[in-house]
Amino acid sequence: MRARVLVRVGSRNAAKLEAVRRGLAPFFARVEIEAADVSSGVDSQPLGFSEIVAGARARAYAAHRIAACDVAAGIEDGLVALPEAQTGWLNIGCCVLYDGEREAIGLTAGFEYPPECVRRATATPRTPIGDAFDALYRAPIGMLDPGTSAGNIGRLSGGALTRADYGAQAVTCAFVRLLHPDLYSGERRAGGSL
């Protein structure tokens, strides 16, 4: 286990900051997090892998440019078309880690939002799915609503999977590439070049 890592996260969102801490905690004795208010450069409701990854990448690179850090992280969620799903879309989260030379990408598991949320998020103009969800969601009688700090997946799952734990999946999945550089010989450098 490495001693410490300083990570600048391209967000001030508490769940994203905690996701990065949890995702890297197994690999470092101490994970120091700094928040940075940066833009994703994509629509407030990303659709498709290209927009989701571009948003996470923009956040990571902008955070890295602010000041020295060991690694910068960008996290972005969005909807990905999946015709096999009842609504035709799944929510997926992406983390991009960038150390100034190497870039690594990881994804979360996917989950389906209620149909009306998806309809609003994929309409023109797009409504951020979080806004649509907040307007529509009411916990079923007898089911725990852990509140907005647990994120939408936390509310839908009754607290079984919080947004921080969900996002941590993508962080850990991204970090494996940086953890094993010897296994990724000939890897694409940041921005897609070799």
Side-chain angles (χ1 to χ4, degrees):
M1 179 178 286
R2 299 175 191 179
R4 69 174 275 285
V5 64
L6 172 61
V7 186
R8 186 165 304 101
V9 181
S11 178
R12 293 199 180 279
N13 179 289
K16 290 183 179 184
L17 300 175
E18 183 61 16
V20 172
R21 189 196 65 73
R22 290 182 191 182
L24 295 177
F27 309 104
F28 298 94
R30 193 170 84 213
V31 179
E32 296 175 16
I33 301 290
E34 290 184 1
D37 192 13
V38 300
S39 173
S40 70
V42 297
D43 194 280
S44 59
Q45 178 51 62
L47 296 179
F49 282 114
S50 293
E51 287 186 20
I52 297 167
V53 173
R57 179 178 285 132
R59 289 180 184 279
Y61 280 54
H64 192 272
R65 284 191 298 272
I66 291 172
C69 60
D70 296 313
V71 67
I75 295 178
E76 194 74 29
D77 277 27
L79 296 175
V80 175
L82 183 68
E84 294 81 5
Q86 292 295 313
T87 62
W89 298 86
L90 283 186
N91 189 86
I92 301 287
C94 175
C95 174
V96 170
L97 297 176
Y98 177 60
D99 68 3
E101 292 183 14
R102 297 172 300 156
E103 175 186 289
I105 298 173
L107 300 173
T108 64
F111 71 94
E112 199 168 5
Y113 270 99
E116 182 58 19
C117 294
V118 172
R119 187 193 66 73
R120 292 180 186 188
T122 57
T124 303
R126 301 176 196 172
T127 298
I129 202 155
D131 294 348
F133 183 80
D134 289 343
L136 296 170
Y137 183 74
R138 302 293 175 267
I141 294 173
M143 182 176 168
L144 169 72
D145 183 351
T148 58
S149 65
N152 298 340
I153 186 63
R155 297 180 81 189
L156 284 168
S157 68
L161 179 62
T162 66
R163 183 173 185 198
D165 287 332
Y166 176 73
Q169 297 173 354
V171 176
T172 300
C173 288
F175 188 66
V176 297
R177 185 175 190 97
L178 302 181
L179 185 62
H180 301 285
D182 55 314
L183 296 178
Y184 295 93
S185 61
E187 72 178 72
R188 289 180 357 158
R189 290 294 179 185
S193 61
L194 283 176

